[in-house]
Protein backbone atom coordinates (compact mmCIF):
# COMPACT_ATOMS: atom_id res chain seq x y z
CA UNK A 1 0.00 0.00 0.00
CA UNK A 2 2.06 2.83 -1.32
CA UNK A 3 -0.39 5.56 -0.33
CA UNK A 4 -0.39 4.49 3.30
CA UNK A 5 3.41 4.62 3.42
CA UNK A 6 3.51 7.90 1.49
CA UNK A 7 1.27 9.61 4.03
CA UNK A 8 2.73 7.93 7.12
CA UNK A 9 5.50 8.96 9.48
CA UNK A 10 7.70 6.29 7.87
CA UNK A 11 8.12 8.49 4.79
CA UNK A 12 9.28 11.57 6.73
CA UNK A 13 13.01 11.03 6.04
CA UNK A 14 12.32 11.19 2.30
CA UNK A 15 9.83 14.04 2.04
CA UNK A 16 12.50 16.62 1.23
CA UNK A 17 13.65 14.69 -1.84
CA UNK A 18 12.37 16.04 -5.20
CA UNK A 19 11.17 12.63 -6.38
CA UNK A 20 9.01 12.23 -3.28
CA UNK A 21 6.73 15.02 -4.47
CA UNK A 22 7.12 13.96 -8.11
CA UNK A 23 5.39 10.65 -7.43
CA UNK A 24 2.22 12.30 -6.11
CA UNK A 25 0.68 13.36 -9.42
CA UNK A 26 1.06 10.10 -11.34
CA UNK A 27 -0.08 8.16 -8.27
CA UNK A 28 -3.25 10.25 -8.08
CA UNK A 29 -3.75 9.84 -11.83
CA UNK A 30 -3.40 6.09 -11.42
CA UNK A 31 -6.23 6.01 -8.87
CA UNK A 32 -8.43 8.36 -10.92
CA UNK A 33 -8.01 6.17 -14.01
CA UNK A 34 -8.71 3.00 -12.01
CA UNK A 35 -11.98 4.45 -10.72
CA UNK A 36 -12.90 5.56 -14.24
CA UNK A 37 -12.19 2.05 -15.53
CA UNK A 38 -14.38 0.47 -12.86
CA UNK A 39 -17.18 2.93 -13.55
CA UNK A 40 -16.94 2.27 -17.29
CA UNK A 41 -17.02 -1.49 -16.74
CA UNK A 42 -20.08 -1.13 -14.53
CA UNK A 43 -21.78 0.78 -17.37
CA UNK A 44 -20.58 -1.87 -19.84
CA UNK A 45 -18.81 0.89 -21.78
CA UNK A 46 -15.89 -1.08 -23.15
CA UNK A 47 -14.38 1.81 -25.10
CA UNK A 48 -14.29 4.04 -22.02
CA UNK A 49 -12.90 1.18 -19.92
CA UNK A 50 -10.11 0.56 -22.42
CA UNK A 51 -9.28 4.28 -22.49
CA UNK A 52 -9.19 4.39 -18.69
CA UNK A 53 -6.97 1.30 -18.55
CA UNK A 54 -4.61 2.97 -21.01
CA UNK A 55 -4.50 6.08 -18.79
CA UNK A 56 -3.87 3.87 -15.77
CA UNK A 57 -0.98 2.17 -17.57
CA UNK A 58 0.56 5.53 -18.46
CA UNK A 59 0.18 6.71 -14.87
CA UNK A 60 1.73 3.48 -13.59
CA UNK A 61 4.77 4.04 -15.78
CA UNK A 62 5.04 7.52 -14.27
CA UNK A 63 4.78 6.15 -10.74
CA UNK A 64 7.47 3.56 -11.40
CA UNK A 65 9.81 6.16 -12.93
CA UNK A 66 9.32 8.48 -9.95
CA UNK A 67 9.87 5.63 -7.51
CA UNK A 68 13.09 4.67 -9.29
CA UNK A 69 14.25 8.27 -8.99
CA UNK A 70 13.20 8.34 -5.33
CA UNK A 71 15.21 5.19 -4.67
CA UNK A 72 18.25 6.76 -6.34
CA UNK A 73 17.89 9.98 -4.35
CA UNK A 74 17.39 8.05 -1.12
CA UNK A 75 20.47 5.92 -1.78
CA UNK A 76 22.57 9.05 -2.31
CA UNK A 77 21.15 10.58 0.84
CA UNK A 78 21.93 7.47 2.87
CA UNK A 79 25.46 7.24 1.44
CA UNK A 80 26.41 10.76 2.59
CA UNK A 81 28.57 10.78 5.69
CA UNK A 82 26.91 12.31 8.71
Amino acid sequence: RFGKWYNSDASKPFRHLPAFEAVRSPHQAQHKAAHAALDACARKDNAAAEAAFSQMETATIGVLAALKQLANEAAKMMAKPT
Side-chain angles (χ1 to χ4, degrees), residues 25-31 33 54-64:
S25 179
H27 184 240
Q28 289 174 338
Q30 197 178 37
H31 281 276
S54 178
Q55 292 169 350
M56 191 168 55
E57 182 178 24
T58 299
T60 298
I61 291 167
V63 167
L64 293 174

Side-chain angles (χ1 to χ4, degrees), residues 1-81:
R1 302 288 205 196
F2 175 75
K4 285 188 178 189
W5 172 83
Y6 190 85
N7 294 310
S8 76
D9 287 343
S11 68
K12 281 184 180 180
F14 308 103
R15 290 182 186 169
H16 70 283
L17 299 173
F20 185 85
E21 185 59 34
V23 77
R24 181 185 304 274
S25 179
H27 184 240
Q28 289 174 338
Q30 197 178 37
H31 281 276
K32 183 178 178 183
H35 287 289
L38 290 172
D39 290 344
C41 286
R43 296 189 317 273
K44 299 188 185 324
D45 185 344
N46 290 339
E50 286 183 26
F53 281 124
S54 178
Q55 292 169 350
M56 191 168 55
E57 182 178 24
T58 299
T60 298
I61 291 167
V63 167
L64 293 174
L67 287 175
K68 183 177 182 178
Q69 183 62 34
L70 181 58
N72 289 338
E73 291 174 9
K76 289 178 185 173
M77 177 186 76
M78 301 298 252
K80 288 184 180 177

